[in-house]
Amino acid sequence: MTTMTSVLRFILSLLLIQAFAVHASWEQDSQSEPVSISPAAEELSAAVEALPDPLFISDAERQQIDRLLGATINQIQGDIANFKTLLNRYHTNNSDENWLEVQRQQLTLLSLSQSKQRLLKLSSTDTFNKLTGFGPRGVTQFKKEFQLARLNTEYLILFQIQSFKAFLRDLTISPVPILAAFFKLLLLYLLLNWWLKNSKKVIQHLRQPKPDQLTQPWWVKILLYLGSANRPIAWLIAITASLRTLSSLPSLQHLIFLEIIVWWILGGSIAIKFILEFAYRNSRNTNKTITALRLSTIRYYVWSIIVTGVILQLAQRSIGQGTIYHWISNLVFFWFALITILVIHKWKNHVFSPSNEQLDAPLAIRWAINNKNSFGLSIIATAIMMGWLLERSTKQYIIASLSNYAFFSQALAYLFRIEVAKQTQNNGGNSNLVRVKKDEVFQYILPGREDSELIDYPANEIKQLSKYLLSDNPAMCVVSGERGIGTTTLLKQLEYKVKNATAIYINCPIAGYSELLTLLATELGLNNDASEIQILSHLRKSEICYFLAIDNAQRLVKPRVGGLGDLIKFANLMRRSKKNHRCVMAIEKSSWRFVDRARGERLLFDHVVFLPRWSEAQIAQLLTSRINTEIENPVTFEGLVVPKQWDQEEITEEERARTGFFRILWHYADGNPTVALRFFRLSLRRDKSNDKVVVRLFNAPENEDLEKMPKPMLAILRSVVQLEVSSPEELSECTQLTIAEVIGTLRYFESRGYIEWTDDKARISDHWYRYITNALHRQHLLVK
C-alpha cells in the first residue's frame, strides 16, 4: 500500500508539471512583452540545433557533443540553485518584477532540459549509460531532476493562483464566454445521458438482420464490438469535448492536460472490452474458471500498460527523456516481468490439467510436465507448456479459418487422402476383409427415403426461388446443378411449401416433350391422349392455380442444332396459359450451359438458380445420417489408419477416423452427395473373423488414357453425359460423326467400363461418373 501511495503521489507530481509546461507556453504567448531565456541557454540551444543528423556524426563531433552535454548539465545545476533563490524571493516580495524573473528562469530551465534531452540521444553509448544508469552519475542526475521537479511543482502552485485571479478578473469583465461554455457542456451531457439510457435499444435495433440476409454484413460485426464498449466510448467523447470546451476559456487552457489521463484510462477500458469480446467470439472454451482467468490476465496487462503509459508520457512532456524517464523505463520492464510471473502462476493449474497432459506432446513438453512442481523450475515449465498450448491453439484456429475457403479445404483433403493411402499401404492389407456387395450394402448405408433426415443445404437458393414461386404472380424459374447435387429434394421442398396453388411434381420422361404432355394431362385430370391445345385450353379456363415442378428437364434439351425445340415448346405453353400458373424446372448444369449459349441474352425464364457444391460439414452430416445404427453390427471405423491433423487433436480415434474419411469422400466427390454415398458404400468391408463391417479406403477409378483421347471420342463422351441416356443415332446427330464411328467408340467405352447399356441406350457408369466429368472439365468440354 505504501508503494502504491508513493506511485500515485509521483503521478500527481508529474501531472502538475505537465499542467505547468502547457500553461507556461500560453503565458509566454499572452505577455505583452515576451519572456526571454538567458543568453547561455540560447547559445546552448543554437549549438545543439547546429549539430548534424545522428547518421552523419563523426568521432570528433561525438566528443564535441559530450563536452556540450557536460556544459549543459553544469548550467542546469547552477540555474536550479538560481531558480530556488528567485522562488524564495518571490515568497518574500510577490511583485510583478520578481514574478517575471521567476518565469524567465523557469523557461531557461525548460530550454536547457530540452537541449540536454537532444544531446543525450546524440552522445556516446558510454556517456549515455553513465548518465541514465543506476551508477553514481546516474543517481546524481536523478537527484537534480527530482529537485527540478519539486521546484516546478512549487512554481505551478503559484502559477495556479495567478491563473485563478485572472479567471475571476475575466469573469467580472464579461461572463458571456463562461455562459456559452456552460450551455455547450449542458447540451453535451444531455446527449450523453440520452445515449446511456437508449444505447442498448439503438444498438440492438441496428444489429437485427433483415429477413433476406443469411449472413451478417461487415458493419453489423463492427457494431458487435462497438456495442460491447459503447459506454466507455461515450464517456471518452463527452469528457474530451468538455475539456476542449473549458480549455478554450481564458485562464483555463491548462485543463487540456487532463485529456492525456482520460484517453489512457478510458482507452484502456475500451481495449479491455474489445479484447474480451474478441476472445468470447473466437474462444472454444467457455468454462467460467477459464473466463475469469482470461479476464484477470487481460486486466493485469492492460492496466499496467495504462499506468506506465501515463507516467512515461507525462515524464517525457514535463522533464524530458532524462535520467528519471529511463529509470522509469527500466522499472517498467521489471514490473512486466513480475506481472508475467504472476500470470503464469495463476494459469498453472489449468495449463497442467489432466486433459492437456494426456495430449501427444514433444520431449520438451514431457520435461515440463515432469518438472511442473520442481522448485525453481516450476515457472519455466509452466511457461514452456503455455507456449506450446498457445502454438497448438493458433494452428487450430488458422486451419479452421482457412477451411472456410473451398480451395484450401480441397488441397488439405487431397494431401490427407494421399497420406491415408500411404499409411494403409505401409501397414499392409488384412486378408480377412472382404467387400460387402450388391444390395447388402443398403442394410448398412441406408438409401434415401421420404422420411430421411433433411440436410439444410440450399437455404439461400430456396429463398430466392420463393420470391417468385410462392407469390401470386406467374413465374417460370430454373434450378440448375450437377447430377446428384440435390435438385429433386429442392423441388420436393418447394412443392411442400406451396399453399396458394395446386402443386404437381413430374419427372420428365426420357422420350421428351410428347411423353411430358401425356403425364401433364394425366395430372391435370385430362385424357392421356389430350393434345397441346386441349392442355392449353384447360390451363386458361381453370380456376385453380397450378404449381408445376418439372424434374430432369434436361431431357427436353439436345446438344445439337435445333435441340432446344422441346424446351421452348413447353416454355411457350406455360406462358400462353395467361393465368398465374407457376413452373420450376430442374436442368442439369452441363445441359444448361448449352441452353445459355444458344439463347444468349434472349429471356426465356424469369429466374435461374445454380446449386452450389455441398460443404464438407454437409456431406459429413448426410453420411452420418445414412449409417444404420439399429442393426446388430453397424458400420465401424475401427482400424482405419488416418493421420492426425491440427483441427482434430481433441477427439477420439473413432471420431478422427470418421471425420478424416468423410473429408476424403467430400474431396473426391467434389461436393456431390450422390457420388459420396456411392463410394461410401464401396468402402465397406466385412471381417470374416468376427463378422464386423468396417470402413477402408476405397479404390478410386483412374485411367490415363482418358486424358489422351482424341477430341471426337471426348465429344461423344460429353454427349452421353449431357443426354443422360442416348442411342447411337442421337449421338451421331449431336457430334456430327457417322454411326459407324459412334458405335465403335461406344464399344471402346464399354470395354473399359465407362458406359452401361439400358434398352439399347448408353449411359455413363456410376462408378466412372466423377472421374469422367473431372476429365471433361479439365479439357474445357464440360461445366460441372
Side-chain angles (χ1 to χ4, degrees), residues 450-615:
E450 291 290 335
D451 59 345
S452 297
E453 179 182 345
L454 189 62
I455 310 301
D456 184 18
Y457 160 60
N460 188 32
E461 286 70 22
I462 290 179
K463 275 192 174 182
Q464 295 179 32
L465 291 170
S466 298
K467 294 179 182 179
Y468 296 89
L469 300 174
L470 301 186
S471 66
D472 294 325
N473 300 320
M476 285 194 67
C477 298
V478 166
V479 178
S480 182
E482 189 181 26
R483 186 183 307 168
I485 201 71
T487 52
T488 301
T489 304
L490 184 143
L491 293 182
K492 293 288 186 180
Q493 288 182 264
L494 290 172
E495 181 185 0
Y496 295 144
K497 284 178 175 289
V498 173
K499 305 298 181 184
N500 56 353
T502 300
I504 297 176
Y505 171 83
I506 298 176
N507 185 13
C508 184
I510 296 175
Y513 182 65
S514 59
E515 291 294 330
L516 177 61
L517 286 182
T518 301
L519 293 178
L520 180 58
T522 303
E523 294 291 340
L524 293 175
L526 303 176
N527 295 328
N528 293 343
D529 57 349
S531 64
E532 181 179 342
I533 300 299
Q534 291 174 319
I535 294 175
L536 177 61
S537 176
H538 177 79
L539 291 175
R540 284 183 174 180
K541 296 178 181 180
S542 175
E543 297 295 332
I544 301 175
C545 182
Y546 291 102
F547 171 82
L548 303 181
I550 311 299
D551 201 1
N552 292 315
Q554 70 273 2
R555 295 168 181 172
L556 300 176
V557 178
K558 306 298 180 184
R560 56 181 172 80
V561 178
L564 300 183
D566 288 351
L567 181 65
I568 294 175
K569 286 179 183 178
F570 184 79
N572 290 337
L573 173 65
M574 295 304 302
R575 294 194 183 282
R576 289 159 58 195
S577 63
K578 296 182 179 180
K579 289 287 186 178
N580 292 339
H581 304 302
R582 280 150 277 154
C583 177
V584 56
M585 307 176 71
I587 301 178
E588 192 178 336
K589 197 170 184 180
S590 59
S591 298
W592 174 255
R593 185 70 171 175
F594 176 76
V595 177
D596 187 44
R597 287 182 174 180
R599 292 292 299 179
E601 297 181 355
R602 290 171 292 175
L603 180 64
L604 187 61
F605 300 99
D606 298 314
H607 189 63
V608 179
V609 166
F610 296 97
L611 296 184
R613 296 182 177 93
W614 286 45
S615 66

Side-chain angles (χ1 to χ4, degrees), residues 73-143:
I73 292 173
N74 293 332
Q75 186 66 38
I76 290 175
Q77 185 174 354
D79 284 341
I80 289 175
N82 191 24
F83 189 33
K84 182 176 181 181
T85 303
L86 291 174
L87 284 172
N88 292 333
R89 183 188 302 171
Y90 180 77
H91 284 302
T92 305
N93 181 11
N94 56 356
S95 62
D96 293 340
E97 292 78 8
N98 288 339
W99 179 246
L100 189 62
E101 289 296 327
V102 171
Q103 285 186 306
R104 180 179 292 111
Q105 191 60 41
Q106 195 277 332
L107 289 177
T108 298
L109 285 170
L110 179 61
S111 175
L112 291 172
S113 297
Q114 293 173 349
S115 299
K116 175 187 172 183
Q117 176 180 332
R118 176 78 189 282
L119 290 170
L120 270 176
K121 293 179 180 180
L122 299 176
S123 63
S124 62
T125 304
D126 183 61
T127 302
F128 179 86
N129 291 334
K130 287 181 179 179
L131 293 176
T132 60
F134 294 92
R137 296 186 64 182
V139 173
T140 302
Q141 289 302 311
F142 177 85
K143 291 180 179 179

Side-chain angles (χ1 to χ4, degrees), residues 660-675:
F661 187 73
F662 286 168
R663 173 171 289 176
I664 293 173
L665 285 173
W666 166 77
H667 170 257
Y668 178 76
D670 198 13
N672 190 309
T674 304
V675 176

Side-chain angles (χ1 to χ4, degrees), residues 416 420-421 423-424 427 433 635-644 652-665 680 683 685 694-698:
F416 188 78
V420 170
Q423 293 187 16
T424 303
N427 293 335
L433 297 180
V635 172
T636 176
F637 292 83
E638 180 182 349
L640 181 63
V641 181
V642 294
K644 292 184 178 180
T652 63
E653 292 294 333
E654 175 81 10
E655 292 173 340
R656 180 182 295 115
R658 179 196 299 262
T659 304
F661 187 73
F662 286 168
R663 173 171 289 176
I664 293 173
L665 285 173
F680 189 22
S683 304
R685 301 289 186 273
V694 297
V695 174
R696 291 295 181 265
L697 186 65
F698 57 89

